[in-house]
Amino acid sequence: MGNNNAKVKKWIQENKNKGIRLLKKLVQEPSLQGNERSSQAIIIEKCRQLGMEIDIWEPNGAELLKHPYFVSPRTTFLDSPNVVGVLKGTGGGKSLLLNGHIDVVPEGDITQWEMDPYSAEVKDGKLYGRGSTDMKGGNVALLLAIQAIKDSGIQLKGDVIFQSVIEEESGGAGTLATILRGYKADGAIIPEPTNMKIFPKQQGSQWFKIDIYGRIAHGGTRYEGVSAIEKAMTVINHLLKLEMIRNGAINDPLYKNTPIPVPINIGKIHGGTWPSSVPDVVTIEGRMGVAPEETIDHAKADMQQWLKKLAEIDKWFEEHPVELEWFGARWVPGTIEPDHELMNLLKNSFKQVKGKDPIIEASPWGTDGGLLTAVGNIPTIVFGPGTTEVAHYPNEYIELERMFETAEIIAQTILAWCEVSED
Amino acid sequence: MGNNNAKVKKWIQENKNKGIRLLKKLVQEPSLQGNERSSQAIIIEKCRQLGMEIDIWEPNGAELLKHPYFVSPRTTFLDSPNVVGVLKGTGGGKSLLLNGHIDVVPEGDITQWEMDPYSAEVKDGKLYGRGSTDMKGGNVALLLAIQAIKDSGIQLKGDVIFQSVIEEESGGAGTLATILRGYKADGAIIPEPTNMKIFPKQQGSQWFKIDIYGRIAHGGTRYEGVSAIEKAMTVINHLLKLEMIRNGAINDPLYKNTPIPVPINIGKIHGGTWPSSVPDVVTIEGRMGVAPEETIDHAKADMQQWLKKLAEIDKWFEEHPVELEWFGARWVPGTIEPDHELMNLLKNSFKQVKGKDPIIEASPWGTDGGLLTAVGNIPTIVFGPGTTEVAHYPNEYIELERMFETAEIIAQTILAWCEVSED
């Protein structure tokens, strides 16, 4: 086994350029929602090279719609294929699922980027671009790990199931579709950008929309109306208080270094139709964090009840209550036992490669791991090379050395978990 | 003279149906910006019947663009004619300009209307429809006044210049074009919907847009970003304080019954692109009132300087200053001397017709009177039959009796101001 670890280390050391080339190609394809197919084509070709059994399909919207865990702004996935590549083992070992999403979030305000977001420029050991950290760099680490094993002539007992899924950024319909298609495993790793921290617990989250009402009037006699913008400010302050109360109640040591474990984020606001009219409706949209051991329904009830208290702060809300809607994306929370064997193997591989113990924390965001746990019943760990702070940011980058270290840690974990066949 | 007043009163009493018919036809033509021509055709035919010298022209966008007082979202006025009808006097009397706009604001949310906005239904003495109050009812009052004089066989010394202009709702390019075409007079009346109050002073107003910056982050680690929505709340509170300071300094008795004489209205807000991202830009749009004796430039400087103080409240604004832009519509403020002869004659006519003194106030909004005063140098009063509270609202209406009373008051004012020729 020590010999096999040395082989994969050597292979990764000698084939870094392969990893950089693959990541460049992936980042250069802007795989925004609905536009994933050219990135997936690159993944498919890589899986073919690796001799995997390849499964490519467009998730069935009609079937997904019937599932209680389905969320997505869309219901057809035409031209947005999921890709699964299976490296078959000889049998007798445990199977490992390696899941990464191919979709990226929009680049945002282009003026804040110092380079083309899809240029994949390399500078000072970092590769820049939308999706580099979240999470194409993680996906490349997975593929390098598999290739290192394969090209070193190592044959595994257990299956390795590599998944390149769509829709993670919109709530996980891609991963849900893999579960419904029958993909199972004894354990799973998702290399989301954790700064190489290991997350045995992942918080969930869900999007909400609140309509806040005012009364229209001419701006010149604005005192005859009621500004929905001013009322929205009251609502936002009220939500900030709810966030404080909910987070004050969390004392999980895995969150001890996190300023706000499960934030309530107001991400969008819009309202009013005319500069010189008093606005009569404002809509805010946001994301509510759900603690790893909390249920989605519990968090929903928390907010619903809290919003009712608005009438105590301002009588206006008594006759003009705000309207709360849960919409769009939702990520189910998930946990794995802290002393699960996969956890121990991953921590051990980390220590061997990095020469120190890993940081174990709970995640600041949801991942598809919640679905793998709750629906697929697959114990899942989130651990990846990307830089948490730059995910969804302008000038997103990944530190390439971390990608190679992660590849090696995952390769070692695969060897230990799936076991090597001596045949 | 008493005899002439009695004649016009009698004519109006006996010809109310003419006024209602004319108003119906005008309201039934939706004279939204760019669609004024069919309403103007009705006005032109009326001016022809009244034996006026008629001038019809499309304002010259290229010429207007060079003028410092020009504002409009468009620069060509093809198919959007201005109409002026002049009732020539025999000479020796003062001339009077009667100005009304033919454009109407959009009907807005159609579901809030209890009838077709362009049906011109009459019910319980009210005629309903977009533009009925703002301000086709006022225009009909002007035309009835002129017709009452004409059909009573009265010959005036001074000219009466009737103007049916486009573009008032977008900042007055139509009235500006009449001034540039050379129309002048010794005084002017604009029958905007004042609830039959007399406005010797009109506030101005101008639209502004403020971009407020934050720093994007993932919503799950929102503490690593800076919310532009929260910063916008600081800016809005800061603007409310400016409004308070500016209005605290106004002690004009004409504003004594107005809760906020020159409001700063925030009419629109939008920002953020993703519910689970910290928003990095929020834009607010609004309308700043300009006091009747203030200049547009003074008000602008007030806001510009006030926004600089944001850095004292929150250091964030030191490195991320907000960006202020003046855009879209602007209405110049205007005043007439309170003891101007036209004021006295109008007040006197009001008392004769209504049997009580008129309410004299300063206006809560801008009108084309600001341009007539500032650019045309024509002392202007705003006084009209429409209901202030329903202008720009769903279910807009005008009380028909007020329209006839206003016609009579204006007819009497014309007789006294322009004087009757005894030839």
Side-chain angles (χ1 to χ4, degrees):
Chain A
M1 188 71 94
N3 189 29
N4 286 328
N5 282 349
K7 279 186 198 165
V8 302
K9 179 189 274 296
K10 183 159 183 281
W11 187 93
I12 290 168
Q13 290 300 326
E14 289 173 356
N15 289 280
K16 288 182 175 175
N17 279 341
K18 279 198 174 70
I20 296 171
R21 270 207 306 275
L22 178 59
L23 181 57
K24 268 195 175 170
K25 283 203 290 182
L26 286 172
V27 170
Q28 282 163 357
E29 298 297 335
S31 51
L32 297 156
Q33 188 182 56
N35 196 35
E36 310 88 344
R37 64 187 180 280
S38 49
S39 271
Q40 293 290 53
I42 296 164
I43 297 287
I44 292 163
E45 167 54 17
K46 192 73 202 172
C47 292
R48 191 201 58 76
Q49 284 173 27
L50 295 176
M52 292 172 140
E53 287 177 12
I54 304 174
D55 185 7
I56 308 162
W57 80 101
E58 293 162 353
N60 181 335
E63 184 196 17
L64 286 168
L65 260 174
K66 287 184 224 144
H67 199 281
Y69 281 85
F70 171 71
V71 279
S72 173
R74 57 179 173 162
T75 53
T76 66
F77 301 92
L78 202 71
D79 265 351
S80 293
N82 259 345
V83 177
V84 175
V86 179
L87 189 72
K88 287 299 285 180
T90 57
K94 286 192 288 294
S95 59
L96 187 63
L97 199 157
L98 300 171
N99 171 297
H101 66 84
I102 197 70
D103 55 315
V104 300
V105 296
E107 59 274 15
D109 179 5
I110 192 78
T111 64
Q112 294 190 40
W113 284 82
E114 285 159 26
M115 68 289 292
D116 174 355
Y118 302 104
S119 60
E121 259 176 53
V122 176
K123 216 177 108 181
D124 299 332
K126 292 170 180 163
L127 188 148
Y128 286 83
R130 174 56 82 229
S132 55
T133 244
D134 185 10
M135 61 175 286
K136 290 173 174 174
N139 299 347
V140 170
L142 297 180
L143 290 164
L144 282 178
I146 296 168
Q147 190 167 5
I149 292 168
K150 177 90 182 172
D151 285 7
S152 302
I154 303 166
Q155 173 69 52
L156 300 169
K157 288 184 182 169
D159 294 348
V160 173
I161 301 152
F162 169 78
Q163 301 184 328
S164 178
V165 297
I166 61 169
E167 292 285 303
E168 192 278 337
E169 297 291 0
S170 305
T175 287
L176 181 60
T178 66
I179 301 168
L180 298 184
R181 203 166 172 91
Y183 287 104
K184 291 250 171 200
D186 298 311
I189 297 174
I190 301 182
E192 288 271 12
T194 69
N195 286 340
M196 295 186 75
K197 293 174 185 174
I198 295 176
F199 291 168
K201 297 191 184 185
Q202 307 148 57
Q203 78 178 262
S205 67
Q206 52 191 336
W207 288 1
F208 60 87
K209 186 184 290 190
I210 301 176
D211 288 331
I212 299 142
Y213 298 96
R215 191 174 58 229
I216 201 166
H218 189 292
T221 50
R222 75 170 193 81
Y223 39 83
E224 285 168 3
V226 174
S227 167
I229 292 177
E230 289 175 40
K231 295 303 172 191
M233 289 162 63
T234 304
V235 174
I236 291 169
N237 282 325
H238 192 59
L239 290 174
L240 288 173
K241 239 174 253 170
L242 174 63
E243 182 192 59
M244 209 166 62
I245 293 169
R246 281 172 54 80
N247 283 282
I250 291 177
N251 46 25
D252 188 328
L254 292 186
Y255 272 127
K256 71 176 191 295
N257 294 319
T258 309
I260 307 173
V262 288
I264 296 175
N265 180 69
I266 315 291
K268 290 178 74 175
I269 188 166
H270 63 97
T273 53
W274 198 250
S276 60
S277 290
V278 175
D280 60 348
V281 190
V282 166
T283 302
I284 58 174
E285 293 178 25
R287 172 250 186 228
M288 182 183 200
V290 180
E293 275 98 3
E294 193 183 15
T295 64
I296 294 268
D297 284 342
H298 180 273
K300 280 184 179 177
D302 242 18
M303 185 177 291
Q304 190 80 52
Q305 281 158 30
W306 185 253
L307 288 175
K308 281 191 191 137
K309 287 185 204 282
L310 278 167
E312 296 167 20
I313 298 172
D314 182 342
K315 276 205 165 287
W316 172 260
F317 294 107
E318 214 171 280
E319 290 200 6
H320 307 86
V322 301
E323 280 174 32
L324 170 65
E325 187 194 335
W326 303 100
F327 82 109
R330 178 186 62 208
W331 289 266
V332 185
T335 61
I336 187 173
E337 291 302 315
D339 57 352
H340 190 281
E341 193 192 341
L342 187 59
M343 272 296 287
N344 293 332
L345 294 179
L346 183 61
K347 284 194 276 185
N348 190 45
S349 300
F350 184 98
K351 194 165 185 182
Q352 284 202 23
V353 172
K354 295 281 284 181
K356 62 178 180 186
D357 285 323
I359 297 171
I360 317 283
E361 277 187 4
S363 86
W365 18 250
T367 73
D368 281 355
L371 287 170
L372 290 180
T373 314
V375 184
N377 206 20
I378 306 166
T380 304
I381 302 169
V382 178
F383 163 72
T387 301
T388 313
E389 293 74 15
V390 298
H392 296 211
Y393 273 71
N395 309 313
E396 179 180 343
Y397 64 83
I398 188 161
E399 290 182 33
L400 290 166
E401 204 46 49
R402 279 189 177 176
M403 182 171 83
F404 300 122
E405 288 170 349
T406 299
E408 194 185 339
I409 293 165
I410 286 178
Q412 286 201 19
T413 307
I414 294 172
L415 294 176
W417 175 261
C418 299
E419 295 177 77
V420 174
S421 167
E422 305 301 335
D423 300 343
Chain B
M1 188 70 93
N3 190 27
N4 287 328
N5 283 348
K7 278 186 199 166
V8 302
K9 178 190 275 294
K10 182 159 183 281
W11 187 93
I12 290 168
Q13 290 300 326
E14 291 173 354
N15 289 280
K16 287 182 177 177
N17 279 342
K18 280 200 174 69
I20 296 171
R21 270 206 307 275
L22 179 58
L23 181 56
K24 268 195 173 170
K25 283 202 290 183
L26 286 172
V27 170
Q28 282 163 356
E29 299 296 336
S31 50
L32 297 156
Q33 189 183 55
N35 195 36
E36 310 87 346
R37 62 186 182 281
S38 48
S39 271
Q40 292 291 53
I42 296 165
I43 296 287
I44 292 162
E45 167 53 17
K46 191 74 201 172
C47 290
R48 191 201 58 75
Q49 284 173 26
L50 295 177
M52 292 171 139
E53 287 178 13
I54 304 174
D55 185 9
I56 307 162
W57 80 102
E58 293 162 352
N60 181 336
E63 182 196 19
L64 286 168
L65 259 174
K66 287 183 225 146
H67 198 278
Y69 281 85
F70 172 71
V71 278
S72 173
R74 55 177 173 163
T75 53
T76 66
F77 302 91
L78 202 69
D79 266 350
S80 294
N82 260 344
V83 176
V84 175
V86 179
L87 188 73
K88 289 298 287 180
T90 55
K94 285 190 288 293
S95 58
L96 186 63
L97 199 157
L98 300 171
N99 171 296
H101 66 84
I102 198 69
D103 55 317
V104 299
V105 295
E107 59 274 17
D109 180 3
I110 194 78
T111 66
Q112 294 189 42
W113 283 83
E114 285 160 26
M115 68 288 293
D116 172 355
Y118 302 105
S119 61
E121 260 176 52
V122 175
K123 214 176 110 181
D124 299 332
K126 292 168 180 165
L127 188 147
Y128 287 84
R130 174 56 82 230
S132 55
T133 245
D134 185 10
M135 62 175 283
K136 289 172 174 175
N139 298 348
V140 169
L142 297 179
L143 289 164
L144 282 178
I146 295 168
Q147 189 165 5
I149 292 167
K150 178 90 182 171
D151 285 7
S152 302
I154 301 165
Q155 174 69 51
L156 299 169
K157 286 185 183 169
D159 295 347
V160 174
I161 302 152
F162 169 78
Q163 303 185 329
S164 178
V165 297
I166 62 169
E167 291 285 302
E168 192 278 339
E169 297 291 357
S170 305
T175 288
L176 181 60
T178 67
I179 300 168
L180 298 184
R181 203 166 172 91
Y183 288 103
K184 292 248 173 200
D186 297 311
I189 296 174
I190 301 182
E192 287 271 11
T194 69
N195 287 340
M196 296 186 74
K197 292 175 185 174
I198 295 175
F199 291 167
K201 297 190 183 186
Q202 307 148 60
Q203 76 179 265
S205 67
Q206 53 190 336
W207 290 0
F208 60 87
K209 186 184 289 190
I210 301 177
D211 289 330
I212 300 142
Y213 298 97
R215 190 174 60 228
I216 202 167
H218 190 292
T221 50
R222 72 169 194 82
Y223 39 83
E224 285 167 2
V226 174
S227 166
I229 291 177
E230 288 175 42
K231 295 303 173 194
M233 287 161 63
T234 304
V235 173
I236 291 169
N237 282 325
H238 193 58
L239 289 174
L240 287 173
K241 237 174 256 171
L242 175 63
E243 182 192 60
M244 208 166 64
I245 292 169
R246 281 173 52 81
N247 283 283
I250 291 176
N251 46 24
D252 188 326
L254 292 186
Y255 273 125
K256 72 173 188 295
N257 293 319
T258 309
I260 309 173
V262 288
I264 297 176
N265 180 69
I266 314 291
K268 289 179 74 174
I269 188 167
H270 63 98
T273 53
W274 198 251
S276 59
S277 290
V278 175
D280 60 347
V281 190
V282 166
T283 302
I284 59 175
E285 292 178 26
R287 172 247 186 228
M288 182 183 201
V290 181
E293 274 99 2
E294 192 182 15
T295 64
I296 294 270
D297 284 343
H298 180 273
K300 281 184 180 178
D302 241 17
M303 185 177 289
Q304 190 81 52
Q305 280 159 27
W306 185 252
L307 289 176
K308 281 192 191 135
K309 287 186 204 284
L310 278 167
E312 296 167 20
I313 298 172
D314 181 343
K315 277 205 162 288
W316 172 260
F317 294 108
E318 213 170 283
E319 289 199 4
H320 308 86
V322 301
E323 280 175 30
L324 170 65
E325 186 194 332
W326 303 100
F327 81 109
R330 178 186 62 206
W331 289 265
V332 185
T335 62
I336 187 173
E337 292 301 317
D339 58 352
H340 190 281
E341 193 192 341
L342 187 58
M343 273 297 287
N344 292 333
L345 293 179
L346 182 61
K347 285 193 275 184
N348 190 45
S349 300
F350 184 98
K351 196 166 182 180
Q352 283 202 23
V353 171
K354 295 279 283 179
K356 61 179 180 186
D357 284 323
I359 297 171
I360 318 283
E361 278 186 4
S363 86
W365 19 250
T367 74
D368 280 357
L371 287 169
L372 290 180
T373 314
V375 185
N377 207 19
I378 305 166
T380 303
I381 302 170
V382 178
F383 163 73
T387 301
T388 312
E389 292 75 15
V390 298
H392 295 212
Y393 273 71
N395 308 314
E396 178 180 343
Y397 65 82
I398 188 161
E399 291 181 32
L400 290 166
E401 204 46 48
R402 279 188 177 176
M403 181 171 84
F404 300 122
E405 288 171 349
T406 300
E408 194 185 338
I409 293 166
I410 287 178
Q412 287 201 19
T413 307
I414 294 171
L415 294 175
W417 175 262
C418 299
E419 294 176 77
V420 174
S421 166
E422 305 300 335
D423 299 345

